[in-house]
Amino acid sequence: MIQLTHLQKLEAESIHIIREVVAECEKPVMMYSIGKDSAVMLHLAMKAFYPGKPPFPLLHVDTTWKFREMIEFRDQRARELGLDLIVHINEEGVKAGINPFDSGSRLHTDVMKTQGLKQALDKYGFDAAFGGARRDEEKSRAKERVFSLRSAEHRWDPKNQRPEPWRLFNTRKRPGESFRVFPISNWTESDVWSYIALEKIPVVPLYFAKSRPIVRRDGALIMRDDERMKLLPGERVENMMVRFRTLGCYPLTGAVESEAATLEAVIEEMRNSHSSERQGRIIDHDGSGSMEQKKQEGYF
Amino acid sequence: MDAIAVDRATGGETAPQTAVAPSIDGAQKSLLRFITCGSVDDGKSTLIGRMLHDSGVVFDDQMEALEKDSQKFGTQGDRIDFALLVDGLSAEREQGITIDVAYRYFSTPRRSFIVADTPGHEQYTRNMATGASTAELAIILIDARKGVLPQTRRHSFIVSMLGVREVVIAINKMDLVGYSQQVYDKIVADYRELARRLNFGNIVFIPISALEGDNVTKPSAAMPWYRGTSLIAHLETVDIKPSTAADGAFTFPVQWVNRPNLDFRGYAGWMTRGRIAQGDAIVALPSGRRSTVARIVTYDGDLSEAVAGQALTLTLADEIDVSRGDVIVSANYSGKPRSLIPARILWMSERPLADGSTYLLKLGTAMAQAKISVSRAVDIHTYEEGEAQRLNMNEIGIAAITLDRPIVASEYGEDRELGGFILIDRWTNETMALGLVDSSLSPKVAPDTIAQVVPAGLAGRLTTFLAADLPLRRQTRGGIFQRVLLGYAPLAVIIGGIIGALSGSLLLGLGVAVANVVACALLSLWMQDSGMPVDESRLRDEANVDGDGI
């Protein structure tokens, strides 16, 4: 008798969720944030519709402050897999000169990411958007549903969530309402890396240690990815062996010092790690319950 | 690693995958899903916090945040309050209670665990049932100082009803009763008595202190009289058998038809039970058409066989019509498509279920309109059944469900995925209830009489009216009434019916008041059928405007 392993069960569950969206929703889209979780989600989508291709486009909400390597990787992956990629930039935000240095992380994230996402979803009329969020990432995510209903204004009401017994999802919604769907809800960071190794899924090289130009700022190691990052008095660029555990806007993503240059080394390092992956994310620390608040406002 | 390579590459044409480094976590580990039941006072969150902490998944920055939170919201004085690790939403932290189901993840070198952490209070019975629906094991906490309480009975009932067979009774706070074996023995005896009326397979009792860590991850020095394993050791080694059905059949609900090009037509879905192999004879239900499995297609290559839990795409040897909602089963499947389903339902909405209401039923990948005839309710404290015509939130009832078309449903005890369903309100889209197919129940089906459907105050009057309205009934509008009563008339027909009945009564010279009563009655039928709340007292007032006129 075939015994399914932990990862095989997770994989089957995720494929089931992805297919359910395609079967029940009119115009789905997959949020592609280029990171490892997106990489796994995309891989699962490729599996779900084989021998066909995923019958939906990828959407990247580009804040214009992503690492350059992320953008290269994004375009290359979409090309290799032959998928439609929609890149949306909040042009109003760009015109207003919103940036993570002068506007602060909170305003930047709200305008370029949250508002940008809402704009894109409204513009194309998507009624379901896949996201690569995992429940183990953060406490308020632990209670997120797999099918998370959003109002026409994209708001999330944590007190009014639909129960999801078994693998039965209530996919009904009114016109204007939409779903955020999280196929890898039940995966942990460790599961994601193990699966990437097992399935040989390509990921952005930023996850692996390399000598990179680093500025120490507010206790974080920030990679100076381009000239837009001005050095403050007393700051200097050092070349350090670092890698990233999560990827986002480069000015808001702290690197960790590491020698782990291969997948095996990264997994080994993570297993012995004593800090959570979101520690490097500056936006999460805007106050207790801050992720929950962002989500109510429409953040993914 | 051999297991994986073999599982994934049993397809004849596929080359075996290269073995992956055995160091990859999760490549060989099994998965156990369990639920924890108990109230905050029982130390449930503390227990989970302790398990997460002791298994090393709590990181330094999370510990730092935890220490800060403990001083701000903690209930353990200066000590770290592990409960705060798991109580996620701000409202919960402030009120010190767990409101929703939260999922937690940890793993040991042997197994990965998904924990459904569910609230203990009675008003959250529905959340607990949701957590139990996918659980293979339940940990039921009992406070050693309090023993078996009404809530213990309630939690045990729900866990048993949702099909969890493997149970751990964790008798917590042993430190507060001096680690007394006598206290422990008494609780064990009391619980065994309670469990006689439930459907558990295996019950394991473990005395613990979640706060101090006794018998959680390590055996306790304070309780040398206990010779069993620690809680974690038990979770790591307990053998979970997949549920099997007597007929040994496989079932594969079709989720989506995959037609990427003209040459390929595959049925994507998820095996809910049994095993399937290339060449197997199949029947597509409800049509009953037969064929054989041509290929079991996956991205990793064709498989020669597959088992329950796998997501697959099947192709068939013959071109037969199969679509979403259909179920591909093996030839020995003993079930038949049916439009009458006896079931237990747990009502989850604040708006109560009225006998005779109509909802959408989703089971597997099938959706149908369902009329619910509730006849009995179960008291989850005494386990006794009593007569009932309605169900309030968190109440469990026994109901006969009449569908507008036959669907394939298995017995819940044999197949949770194809025996469990949800009820959805057609207008608000709210998930109203979860239900379990159980043919051993014999609920009575409500006859399609007016008295069953119409609000109590109106029933007598409408019957009288219909009797007086026989000429109308023989004409077309009789048909409308029939369909309204059966509960499947589309909205337009009912509105038409109301207008028709209104003018019809006026034509017959019955007067505006009577016409109003008819319109009112029809509207209330429609509303009730749709699961909308009907304020019966108001309807009665409306009907009484000229009550004696009928």
Side-chain angles (χ1 to χ4, degrees), chain A residues 6 12-13 16 19-20 47 49 139 143 166-167 169-170 186 194 199 271 274 276 288 292, chain B residues 8 23 25 29 33 60-61 90 92-93 105 133 255 258 270 300 309 324 362 412 417 429 431:
Chain A
H6 169 56
E13 178 183 271
H16 172 81
R19 286 172 175 169
E20 195 69 4
K47 288 197 167 193
F49 304 101
K139 277 191 281 189
K143 304 190 176 190
W166 304 290
R167 284 155 193 95
F169 304 106
N170 175 353
N186 283 328
S194 301
E199 298 281 321
R271 212 175 290 165
H274 294 290
S276 77
S288 187
E292 186 184 343
Chain B
R8 292 221 163 184
S23 66
D25 225 30
K29 273 186 199 177
R33 290 177 187 253
D60 288 350
D61 56 316
S90 300
E92 292 177 334
R93 283 208 294 278
Y105 308 85
S133 70
Q255 198 178 9
N258 190 358
W270 146 301
D300 303 299
R324 176 175 167 89
K362 185 173 181 185
Y412 185 77
E417 308 291 337
N429 295 331
T431 303

Side-chain angles (χ1 to χ4, degrees), chain A residues 146-287:
Chain A
V146 173
F147 277 71
S148 181
L149 184 67
R150 303 299 163 99
S151 68
E153 294 76 39
H154 299 283
R155 286 189 72 89
W156 178 66
D157 179 4
K159 290 194 183 68
N160 186 25
Q161 298 202 81
R162 294 172 178 177
E164 295 180 333
W166 304 290
R167 284 155 193 95
L168 275 180
F169 304 106
N170 175 353
T171 55
R172 308 241 323 160
K173 56 181 163 38
R174 287 186 246 226
E177 290 178 339
S178 60
F179 285 109
R180 305 288 182 275
V181 184
F182 304 105
I184 60 166
S185 283
N186 283 328
W187 296 55
T188 63
E189 184 187 13
S190 163
D191 296 332
V192 164
W193 279 118
S194 301
Y195 191 71
I196 285 170
L198 195 65
E199 298 281 321
K200 302 185 172 58
I201 302 169
V203 290
V204 186
L206 290 161
Y207 285 116
F208 306 116
K210 199 180 140 183
S211 177
R212 296 186 168 98
I214 295 296
V215 175
R216 294 175 191 268
R217 186 175 288 182
D218 300 333
L221 303 179
I222 303 298
M223 175 171 153
R224 191 169 184 238
D225 199 37
D226 57 39
E227 301 299 310
R228 288 180 296 174
M229 181 176 179
K230 303 276 181 275
L231 293 183
L232 302 177
E235 280 183 346
R236 62 190 178 86
V237 177
E238 305 166 59
N239 280 318
M240 293 172 69
M241 277 296 276
V242 294
R243 64 180 203 89
F244 296 87
R245 284 182 76 180
T246 61
L247 295 177
C249 297
Y250 83 80
L252 300 177
T253 308
V256 288
E257 290 194 70
S258 169
E259 299 290 326
T262 64
L263 196 50
E264 290 68 31
V266 165
I267 290 175
E268 188 55 35
E269 187 184 90
M270 183 195 52
R271 212 175 290 165
N272 301 322
S273 163
H274 294 290
S275 59
S276 77
E277 61 184 317
R278 296 199 79 87
Q279 190 189 29
R281 290 225 177 159
I282 290 158
I283 58 167
D284 285 0
H285 301 294
D286 295 343

Side-chain angles (χ1 to χ4, degrees), chain B residues 399-421:
Chain B
I401 297 178
T402 317
L403 303 175
D404 65 341
R405 62 187 185 84
I407 64 166
V408 182
S410 295
E411 296 300 308
Y412 185 77
E414 297 182 339
D415 182 353
R416 286 196 207 181
E417 308 291 337
L418 212 54
F421 59 85

Side-chain angles (χ1 to χ4, degrees), chain A residues 1-24 43 46-53 55 81 135-137 139-140 142-145 156 158-174 177 185-191 193-195 197-200 245 264 267-268 270-271 273-279 285 288-289 292, chain B residues 1 4 7-8 18 20 23-31 33 59-62 69 72 84-90 92-93 98-105 112 114 130 133-134 136 162 255-256 258 260 264 268-270 274-275 297-300 305-313 324 348 360 362-365 367 412 416-417 420-422 424-431 434-436:
Chain A
M1 190 69 181
I2 301 170
Q3 286 283 340
L4 298 182
T5 64
H6 169 56
L7 285 178
Q8 286 172 317
K9 284 184 182 175
L10 289 177
E11 178 190 79
E13 178 183 271
S14 302
I15 289 175
H16 172 81
I17 293 163
I18 293 170
R19 286 172 175 169
E20 195 69 4
V21 170
V22 166
E24 297 267 83
H43 186 73
M46 294 300 291
K47 288 197 167 193
F49 304 101
Y50 180 84
K53 294 243 162 93
L81 298 173
R135 285 174 177 151
D136 81 323
E137 279 176 80
K139 277 191 281 189
S140 84
K143 304 190 176 190
E144 177 79 75
R145 295 295 189 266
W156 178 66
K159 290 194 183 68
N160 186 25
Q161 298 202 81
R162 294 172 178 177
E164 295 180 333
W166 304 290
R167 284 155 193 95
L168 275 180
F169 304 106
N170 175 353
T171 55
R172 308 241 323 160
K173 56 181 163 38
R174 287 186 246 226
E177 290 178 339
S185 283
N186 283 328
W187 296 55
T188 63
E189 184 187 13
S190 163
D191 296 332
W193 279 118
S194 301
Y195 191 71
L198 195 65
E199 298 281 321
K200 302 185 172 58
R245 284 182 76 180
E264 290 68 31
I267 290 175
E268 188 55 35
M270 183 195 52
R271 212 175 290 165
S273 163
H274 294 290
S275 59
S276 77
E277 61 184 317
R278 296 199 79 87
Q279 190 189 29
H285 301 294
S288 187
E292 186 184 343
Chain B
M1 258 338 289
I4 289 270
D7 292 353
R8 292 221 163 184
T18 43
V20 184
S23 66
I24 293 177
D25 225 30
Q28 295 157 305
K29 273 186 199 177
S30 60
L31 172 66
R33 290 177 187 253
F59 296 118
D60 288 350
D61 56 316
Q62 290 171 326
D69 283 356
K72 205 159 148 196
L84 293 173
L85 260 183
V86 294
D87 289 337
L89 301 176
S90 300
E92 292 177 334
R93 283 208 294 278
T98 309
I99 296 170
D100 212 327
V101 190
Y103 293 91
R104 314 287 168 199
Y105 308 85
S112 290
I114 299 181
T130 302
S133 70
T134 50
E136 298 158 304
L162 269 299
Q255 198 178 9
W256 187 70
N258 190 358
F264 188 89
W270 146 301
R275 66 190 281 161
V297 180
T298 78
Y299 178 90
D300 303 299
E305 61 171 347
V307 295
Q310 286 184 287
L312 309 164
T313 300
R324 176 175 167 89
M348 302 197 283
L360 289 173
K362 185 173 181 185
L363 186 151
T365 58
M367 187 93 101
Y412 185 77
R416 286 196 207 181
E417 308 291 337
F421 59 85
I422 51 174
I424 301 168
D425 184 289
R426 280 180 293 177
W427 275 271
T428 64
N429 295 331
E430 187 186 349
T431 303
L434 63 80
L436 323 166

Side-chain angles (χ1 to χ4, degrees), chain B residues 64-106:
Chain B
E64 234 173 77
L66 178 63
E67 280 165 22
K68 253 189 269 167
D69 283 356
S70 294
Q71 296 192 345
K72 205 159 148 196
F73 309 109
T75 56
Q76 298 300 327
D78 288 340
R79 300 171 68 170
I80 287 180
D81 188 350
F82 285 112
L84 293 173
L85 260 183
V86 294
D87 289 337
L89 301 176
S90 300
E92 292 177 334
R93 283 208 294 278
E94 281 151 24
Q95 297 166 27
I97 51 161
T98 309
I99 296 170
D100 212 327
V101 190
Y103 293 91
R104 314 287 168 199
Y105 308 85
F106 68 98

Side-chain angles (χ1 to χ4, degrees), chain B residues 281-305:
Chain B
I282 64 98
V283 183
L285 294 176
S287 76
R289 289 179 202 282
R290 291 169 182 272
S291 184
T292 52
V293 176
R295 293 172 60 197
I296 304 173
V297 180
T298 78
Y299 178 90
D300 303 299
D302 281 12
L303 304 179
S304 59
E305 61 171 347

